[in-house]
Amino acid sequence: MKSATFKDKFMKLIRVGQQAIYINTHEEERCINEIRASFNSYREENADFAKKLARFTITDGIQFIDIELSPIAVRAPDAFMNLAKDEVDKEHEIQEELANQAQSGNKKQKAIQHPILGTDTVFLLPDYHHFFKDTCPDRLTIMRTMKDCISKFGPVGNTFVVIAPSVYLPEDLEKSFVVLDYDMPSEQQIETLIGEMFISSIADPEEAGHLKAFQNHFAKNKRQIINAFKGFTAFEAETALAMAVGDELKREGGCKGEIDVKEVLSHKKQAIEKSGIVSWMDTNIDMDSIGGLEILKEWILKRKRAFGQEAIDFGLPKPRGILLLGCSGTGKSLAAKAIANILSVPLLGVNMGDIFGSLVGESEKNVKEMCRVAESVAPAVLFLDELEKMFAGAQGGGNNDSGTTKRVFGTVLTWMQERKAPVFVVATANSIEFLPPEFLRKGGRFDEIFFVDYPTRTEREAILKIQVKSVCKTRADKDLDYHALSVELENFTGAEIQSVVEDAMINAFDAGDKTVQTHHISSSILNTTPLYVTAHEKVVAMREDLKQKAKSASRPEEVQTSYKKPSLPENGGRKIV
């Protein structure tokens, strides 16, 4: 079943006489234009549709949209609200008078002049949420007058429509409003915008060949280019595309009509990080950069094609995500980056500390913004790191923060269960102590739950080779005894192995040696106390607990032994000793 569009939802609310609507969007102009187009379209199909659009701002006062009525020079928000109330009060008096006349049977009725704003008026109120805040000196008067208006709007067909980039509704008004999220540009709208931008950017007839080159390149790379522009507002998309087209037109050696997707993604990174809630993370880590975790790697590679159209046509459900459990430093964060790299989609990270705000309702707003951004950029990987720190109060009911933690956690759980967009969630936790049972359930929210344990001997050798290559580069001795060092590194995490190699590099340099040798690394191992030792009981208990509750991300280590099978006598008889 096709989901309802913003236009469908908005016009339905207008038709049923909803008195107050709150539209959450950064795209005020595009939103108002779509509302105007929706009204005009509905008028053409329904001749009796008499509603009019009036836009109020503190700079222009009241202006009517698509109707030839003179503007009203009322610019103060309290004066506007008083005018709206006076107009609707007059209309109510007129309606009452008409009813009385009809009841008395008086046929000689006077010609009645209805107030302009008294009936069938939809008031568009951009930025009006600022007047609900404590910083507005007339806040109480404005809210009281708005409540009075809303209570009288039903019979006369009036509606207040607040348009703002974030939802801010005081308790006095929140039950009166229906909140709508204005959709980011759809794939079809992005395609139309790109086509129009090509034509407007290359208006010179002498550059017609360039226009054709851009159009051909877009046709061949449509999916990749559209995905790069998803998550932009229309204005942001126009800006990024204009710069990409401008750079290509000035390309040394001549224009080939190519859109630099990497340049577009750099603009997207800036746009996403403006919120301060979601960050755009680099995905220059591939699976070869991670030692071990072979079972996890195989699981991801098997699902690499599951985001594509071929998988949708086959009927595959969209992959939902994985939960990685394990001690700190075992490679969970690296795995998230590698997963995004394999799937060839953006990696979005959430700064958990920024989710919770000091103002009432701010935390809930932030988590909704996180979900909105992730869906607008999809397909993408959303990386939720160290969940236990974010939701430590969820099991206790959020008693220490008026239930904020519990509400935020509930929002995340609901979104993970019901989201439609292809957002693959990679969540990590060092401990499951504070994670409610519903978060540990496979199927609805996660496709699999993996336990990332301390690396095995084989994995430690692989990690050591990767770190030596990364840290030491050409300074590593070609005869390093990786096998012996991997044995010495027992109970070290991947992060600790990296630290050991970095320390060995410093020691080699300090000793005046030209290369990092086995004894440098061995010395660093001896001088490093791993977490396994400093928090031994806690680590052991945690590992034993997680082993029972999650699938291992690594293959079990083969038993190493010097035992040799005894040979049988040459004649095949029994050997007696």
Side-chain angles (χ1 to χ4, degrees):
M1 182 178 177
K2 189 177 179 180
S3 58
T5 64
F6 167 81
K7 173 184 174 181
D8 297 333
K9 295 175 186 175
F10 181 79
M11 291 306 297
K12 184 176 182 180
L13 290 173
I14 294 297
R15 292 197 306 272
V16 301
Q18 172 63 31
Q19 297 102 319
I21 302 171
Y22 197 119
I23 301 176
N24 180 24
T25 179
H26 286 273
E27 299 188 87
E28 175 189 309
E29 183 178 357
R30 188 168 73 92
C31 177
I32 292 176
N33 286 339
E34 184 163 346
I35 291 173
R36 175 194 291 157
S38 301
F39 265 55
N40 290 338
S41 175
Y42 196 75
R43 282 196 193 97
E44 291 176 1
E45 299 171 1
N46 301 273
D48 59 342
F49 184 69
K51 290 187 183 290
K52 53 187 174 291
L53 284 171
R55 178 176 180 265
F56 167 77
T57 64
I58 60 174
T59 52
D60 296 327
I62 300 172
Q63 292 187 322
F64 294 92
I65 299 176
D66 288 346
I67 296 178
E68 293 183 2
L69 292 173
S70 300
I72 301 175
V74 174
R75 292 182 173 83
D78 55 337
F80 159 74
M81 199 56 65
N82 287 330
L83 176 62
K85 182 178 181 299
D86 290 343
E87 294 277 282
V88 77
D89 284 343
K90 289 177 186 177
E91 183 62 29
H92 272 277
E93 291 174 5
I94 290 171
Q95 297 292 346
E96 187 176 348
E97 177 63 23
L98 290 173
N100 291 336
Q101 289 179 2
Q103 190 173 4
S104 65
N106 184 2
K107 296 181 181 180
K108 295 183 179 181
Q109 299 178 4
K110 298 179 182 179
I112 296 175
Q113 181 69 38
H114 290 272
I116 294 174
L117 302 175
T119 182
D120 287 327
T121 304
V122 176
F123 296 97
L124 302 180
L125 309 177
D127 305 323
Y128 213 82
H129 64 303
H130 290 298
F131 308 127
F132 299 152
K133 297 181 179 180
D134 294 337
T135 51
C136 175
D138 300 315
R139 172 178 178 267
L140 296 180
T141 301
I142 290 170
M143 288 197 304
R144 180 68 260 175
T145 312
M146 178 174 270
K147 287 176 70 175
D148 292 340
C149 287
I150 291 172
S151 68
K152 298 175 181 180
F153 271 4
V156 299
N158 282 8
T159 304
F160 282 137
V161 181
V162 175
I163 303 173
S166 61
V167 178
Y168 185 89
L169 280 170
E171 188 177 0
D172 310 60
L173 293 170
E174 63 181 13
K175 298 301 181 182
S176 301
F177 279 82
V178 171
V179 177
L180 289 181
D181 288 319
Y182 184 58
D183 302 325
M184 301 290 273
S186 65
E187 292 188 6
Q188 181 59 52
Q189 288 170 326
I190 291 172
E191 183 174 352
T192 301
L193 183 149
I194 291 173
E196 292 174 350
M197 279 290 290
F198 283 158
I199 294 172
S200 62
S201 300
I202 313 171
D204 190 340
E206 295 183 4
E207 296 182 336
H210 295 335
L211 174 60
K212 192 67 177 176
F214 277 112
Q215 291 171 335
N216 289 340
H217 175 75
F218 177 69
K220 292 177 182 177
N221 302 275
K222 182 185 295 186
R223 173 55 49 201
Q224 182 187 19
I225 294 173
I226 287 178
N227 282 344
F229 280 92
K230 286 177 70 175
F232 278 131
T233 63
F235 178 78
E236 289 169 337
E238 289 173 1
T239 301
L241 183 59
M243 295 186 72
V245 169
D247 288 345
E248 179 63 14
L249 288 171
K250 296 176 182 177
R251 180 215 280 255
E252 258 186 63
C255 171
K256 296 182 180 179
E258 297 178 357
I259 297 298
D260 188 346
V261 171
K262 289 184 179 180
E263 181 66 23
V264 174
L265 292 178
S266 71
H267 288 285
K268 183 186 281 190
K269 177 180 179 180
Q270 294 176 21
I272 286 175
E273 292 186 342
K274 288 177 186 176
S275 69
I277 306 301
V278 179
S279 62
W280 184 282
M281 302 178 68
D282 293 329
T283 56
N284 54 355
I285 300 293
D286 56 25
M287 283 300 184
D288 291 335
S289 302
I290 302 175
L293 306 185
E294 296 302 325
I295 292 177
L296 172 61
K297 290 177 181 178
E298 290 175 2
W299 191 93
I300 292 296
L301 288 170
K302 189 180 291 185
R303 286 154 180 79
K304 181 177 180 179
R305 295 165 53 219
F307 275 117
Q309 189 60 44
E310 185 183 357
I312 295 173
D313 295 340
F314 189 80
L316 283 181
K318 293 186 180 72
R320 291 186 171 275
I322 56 175
L323 175 60
L324 303 179
L325 304 174
C327 297
S328 177
T330 50
K332 301 186 296 296
S333 300
L334 278 178
K337 293 182 179 181
I339 289 168
N341 187 308
I342 286 176
L343 299 179
S344 299
V345 297
L347 176 63
L348 306 178
V350 178
N351 185 336
M352 297 303 191
D354 288 338
I355 286 291
F356 291 93
S358 58
L359 302 178
V360 175
E362 188 176 4
S363 303
E364 292 87 340
K365 183 197 79 164
N366 289 343
V367 78
K368 288 178 181 177
E369 176 69 4
M370 174 194 79
C371 300
R372 184 197 67 79
V373 169
E375 291 203 1
S376 69
V377 176
V381 171
L382 180 64
F383 179 36
L384 307 178
D385 196 19
E386 296 187 340
L387 286 178
E388 73 279 9
K389 293 182 180 178
M390 183 180 184
F391 299 118
Q395 277 192 319
N399 296 325
N400 296 328
D401 59 2
S402 302
T404 297
T405 301
K406 189 174 183 179
R407 290 193 299 273
V408 167
F409 194 80
T411 300
V412 173
L413 287 177
T414 301
W415 175 77
M416 291 182 67
Q417 180 74 31
E418 299 178 358
R419 71 187 185 278
K420 303 299 182 184
V423 178
F424 189 83
V425 175
V426 178
T428 71
N430 298 330
S431 168
I432 61 172
E433 180 181 358
F434 297 113
L435 297 183
E438 55 266 42
F439 209 88
L440 299 172
R441 179 168 63 86
K442 276 179 56 178
R445 298 180 177 93
F446 293 110
D447 300 312
E448 189 58 85
I449 300 175
F450 285 101
F451 169 47
V452 183
D453 197 3
Y454 274 65
T456 64
R457 207 281 315 158
T458 304
E459 290 177 327
R460 292 195 301 273
E461 183 172 340
I463 294 169
L464 182 60
K465 288 179 179 178
I466 291 169
Q467 291 302 329
V468 166
K469 182 179 179 181
S470 173
V471 176
C472 303
K473 299 181 174 61
T474 60
R475 293 292 178 179
D477 187 88
K478 60 183 178 64
D479 294 323
L480 281 175
D481 191 342
Y482 289 104
H483 183 91
L485 289 170
S486 67
V487 173
E488 294 179 34
L489 284 165
E490 185 176 5
N491 296 324
F492 278 66
T493 65
E496 290 168 339
I497 293 172
Q498 179 183 351
S499 179
V500 163
V501 175
E502 291 171 350
D503 187 56
M505 185 76 167
I506 293 172
N507 291 340
F509 175 75
D510 184 61
D513 296 328
K514 293 182 178 181
T515 60
V516 177
Q517 299 168 28
T518 300
H519 71 87
H520 293 129
I521 298 178
S522 185
S523 176
S524 294
I525 294 172
L526 290 173
N527 290 318
T528 301
T529 304
L531 180 66
Y532 187 85
V533 174
T534 56
H536 180 72
E537 292 183 2
K538 185 176 180 180
V539 170
V540 170
M542 183 188 304
R543 290 175 70 189
E544 290 304 315
D545 185 35
L546 294 178
K547 282 178 183 178
Q548 307 301 319
K549 297 177 179 177
K551 180 178 182 178
S552 175
S554 302
R555 295 194 193 285
E557 182 77 282
E558 293 183 8
V559 177
Q560 301 293 324
T561 175
S562 57
Y563 171 79
K564 292 183 180 180
K565 183 177 179 180
S567 59
L568 293 175
E570 292 182 3
N571 60 8
R574 180 177 300 182
K575 182 178 181 180
I576 300 174
V577 294

